[in-house]
């Protein structure tokens, strides 16, 4: 039987001492693999760049100083921080508010003190009146861990070209009988609070909601009272700059979902919604490059399951710094 030419050449090389130079082995470049490796290891050093990115976020929270925040954000002045702190104490609205959160309120309001006060009012009002979402929020709690067994709540390590932080929420278990909206919201806002604490002056945030496997049964689990509070908080009390909200893998069901949500959603929020069907991902990549997305959506980052592991380690580190 005639030997394969490549095999014979490899055998000759082995006989000559195994020198790689003895055989002209042609390697095939795989652009997608190269992009995946670049997304995972942006340093090019073979280190766990994703783990480093999350550790850097936690370290940024630990080492945060007001002087540093003011130095890096010209639109916020120390006098505004002091004025907002005094107002919180005198009005007994968040009297023990931490400085990073004061700065986050001013940052999301673009330095407008009165607007920051309005955000604080809604923040405190909704959180104090919605204990099913905002009380007992330890990352290690049974409820949060159970919610994470049902859904993904992932912070992505790579930012968009504009510097926006991306957060992805998706179903992990599609069974609607195990979905609890209050618990899901608790895990969602716990994750967002952790990122805001680490990056109170981030230029913006992008949320991605994967509608794959979402059924009307999930929507019925929402009820009416809680979504009204959650969307008020999302629109008026969240101390961050929400830039875009993407809904992926949408189906005709999305029209029914939007009809249910429309009474709770202002036009300003609706204006940043983007909808993508399963075959419309190229349009998503124009706004969130593939090196910022997990492989579940054609991106070059690891899958959601792995990114959730990284997020969980980050949340565990942040647990004592997250506002309660």
């Amino acid at each position: 039987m005639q030997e394969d030419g490549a095999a014979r050449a490899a055998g000759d090389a082995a006989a000559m001492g195994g020198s790689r130079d003895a055989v002209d082995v042609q390697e095939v470049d795989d652009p997608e693999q190269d992009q995946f490796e670049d997304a995972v290891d942006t340093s090019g050093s073979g280190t766990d760049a994703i783990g480093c990115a999350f550790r850097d976020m936690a370290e940024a929270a630990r080492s945060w100083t007001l002087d540093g925040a003011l130095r890096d954000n010209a639109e916020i002045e120390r006098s505004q921080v002091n004025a907002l702190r005094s107002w919180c104490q005198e009005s007994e609205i968040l009297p023990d508010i931490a400085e990073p959160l004061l700065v986050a309120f001013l940052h999301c309001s673009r330095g407008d003190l009165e607007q920051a006060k309005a955000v604080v009012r809604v923040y405190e009002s909704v959180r104090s009146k919605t204990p099913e979402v905002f009380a007992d929020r330890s990352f290690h709690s049974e409820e949060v861990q159970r919610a994470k067994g049902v859904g993904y709540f992932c912070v992505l390590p790579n930012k968009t070209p504009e510097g926006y932080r991306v957060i992805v929420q998706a179903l992990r278990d599609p069974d609607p009988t195990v979905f609890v909206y209050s618990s899901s919201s608790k895990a969602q806002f716990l994750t967002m609070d952790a990122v805001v604490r680490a990056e109170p002056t981030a230029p913006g945030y992008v949320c991605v909601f994967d509608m794959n496997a979402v059924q009307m049964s999930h929507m019925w689990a929402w009820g009416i009272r809680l979504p009204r509070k959650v969307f008020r908080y999302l629109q008026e009390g969240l101390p961050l700059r929400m830039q875009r909200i993407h809904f992926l893998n949408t189906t005709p069901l999305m029209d029914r979902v939007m009809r249910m949500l429309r009474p709770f959603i202002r036009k300003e929020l609706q204006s940043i919604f983007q909808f993508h069907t399963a075959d419309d991902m190229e349009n998503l990549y124009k706004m969130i490059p593939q090196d910022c997305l997990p492989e579940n959506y054609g991106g070059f980052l690891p899958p959601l399951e792995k990114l959730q592991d990284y997020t969980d380690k980050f949340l565990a580190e942040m647990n004592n710094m997250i506002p309660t």
Side-chain angles (χ1 to χ4, degrees), residues 23-62:
V23 182
D24 183 14
V25 179
Q26 185 175 2
E27 296 185 356
V28 179
D29 290 333
D30 185 344
E32 288 198 1
Q33 180 64 22
D34 291 343
Q35 288 171 310
F36 174 82
E37 291 174 353
D38 289 343
V40 172
D41 176 17
T42 55
S43 68
S45 63
T47 59
D48 180 7
I50 294 178
C52 288
F54 281 99
R55 287 191 292 273
D56 287 347
M57 278 195 287
E59 178 56 33
R62 286 190 291 268

Side-chain angles (χ1 to χ4, degrees), residues 126-136 186 229:
V126 174
R127 289 171 76 108
S128 64
K129 296 175 182 177
T130 318
E132 63 269 41
V133 173
F134 294 105
D136 302 321
K186 179 174 290 192
K229 291 183 178 181

